[in-house]
Amino acid sequence: MSYLVFSVFVCLLCAHLPTTKSEHSVPYKVGYIDQYVDHFNFARFGNQTFKERYLIQDKWWDKKNNGPIFFYTGNEGPIEAFWKASGLMFDLAPRFGALILFGEHRYYGKSLPFGPSKSFQRPYIGLLTMRQALADFAYLINSIKKQHGAEKSPVIAFGGSYGGMLAAYFRMKHPSVCDGSIAASAPIYLLNPKFDHSFFFTDVTKDFSESVSGCVPRIKRAFTKMDQLMTEGKKGLAMLTKYFQLCQPLTGKAAYTHLLGWIRNAFTNTAMFDYPYATNFLPVGNPVKFSCDHVLSAADDISGLAAASGIYYNATFGPLKCFDISKEYVSCADPTGCGIGPNAWAWDYQACTDILLPPGSNNVTDMFPILPFNDTLRNEYCMKTWGTKPNPDWAYWGQDLRTTSNIVFSNGDLDPWHRGGVLKDVSKSVRAFMVIGGAHHLDLRGHNSKDPVSVIKVRGQEAKMIEEWVMKAKKSRQSIST
């Protein structure tokens, strides 16, 4: 899941827009805080702590006037990666006089409660939960406030994707700490076991179908021809190895299935990050169209599929002479992708506990091969891997949004996650904004000259909501102090 919409609102941002770079270079200071290993059971670990990492920048902070704290709720990866992809916070900080703070999620990056090995072993991995992470964030913010004399500063949370879910839940669970949240591309309804989770690969397919005519049929034909080659045994496997320029030859059904997952993962990420400009992880703007152009211009169907898949991995891992699919893609409890390395282990565990994720592909409602991963298969995998399984009985929380306030849920209609999110206003203070022509949390990224008008409008609406929340919080704190 692993990662990040002209009206009256345009002028709210225009005074502080940076250059057209979308991956900003704002420096940060790295800090560590002694964070409790377990916030809810002191009998087991007592007061044992670990070092939680955070990033901070105070160059715009108006401390004298209790400027707000803009807090990023770190998600499934090293925190510096989200710093680079969350330019909206830096675009807005000068206007609001904000202190910027990014908190790293426990069990990701360098915030490992029991070290790089033990943290991912049972039973220690059991302390990786959303509730623990939210408690970490609350403790971090309160500690930073004390250190910097910022007790009266309002706190606005920002997050994208899983981080967007956390930003929303942070406001719900810790309203005394968080005064409002921008929850970008946050599919919070996935935690409802009764919600239809089957939309994801259908919407990935829709992105490619609507981008270039004829793209999806050719992709489907390529998968069919790959299956036909598989029936030829070693000869077919050798041909597939050559088509996809694999470092290690395919040796059988398991390796072939992993290749199919590797291909699907490339198309999934291309759809999620279909931004109108190049990024540090995709080399071109409008990568869905770029991939389809390769699919359609290739000499044959499988060559086109291979070329389109290689675009993503060449950009992610740098120019490759061959593709090592065992290192570039990890099969896990999340069919949409877990990433690689220790971060993948952590997300795999969360996909087996407190996150309910989409099923696999079916080749009927989507363009991908039949790679099933239903609740039964997921439970079997999770029990075998972690000794647990997703528990919707306690994961289903925070769904009645009428009980909360001060949250913006933003989504892009190109984002294959958007149907799992909040698409309609719930109240005057729980709003839903749609970025037409926007991919995964495009609004959270920094200003770019190629941004669609819709994302400029949504960012302006978000700025207006933040202004209301900050003014209300300051007024409330002032009345209490007097």
Side-chain angles (χ1 to χ4, degrees), residues 169 191 196 263 286 364 413 421 469:
Y169 293 142
L191 267 66
D196 183 3
I263 298 168
N286 302 304
V364 176
D413 65 340
W469 300 338

Side-chain angles (χ1 to χ4, degrees), residues 1-22:
M1 178 180 180
S2 276
Y3 313 41
L4 311 150
V5 208
F6 281 106
S7 71
V8 67
F9 299 112
V10 173
C11 64
L12 294 175
L13 287 172
C14 58
H16 301 295
L17 290 179
T19 64
T20 57
K21 294 181 179 179
S22 58

Side-chain angles (χ1 to χ4, degrees), residues 2 27 31 42 54 75 227 293 326-327 334 384 392 414 449 459:
S2 276
F42 288 95
Y54 64 87
N75 34 318
D227 285 344
D293 289 342
S326 64
K327 293 181 179 179
D334 180 2
K384 180 179 179 180
L414 298 183
S449 60
R459 288 175 184 148

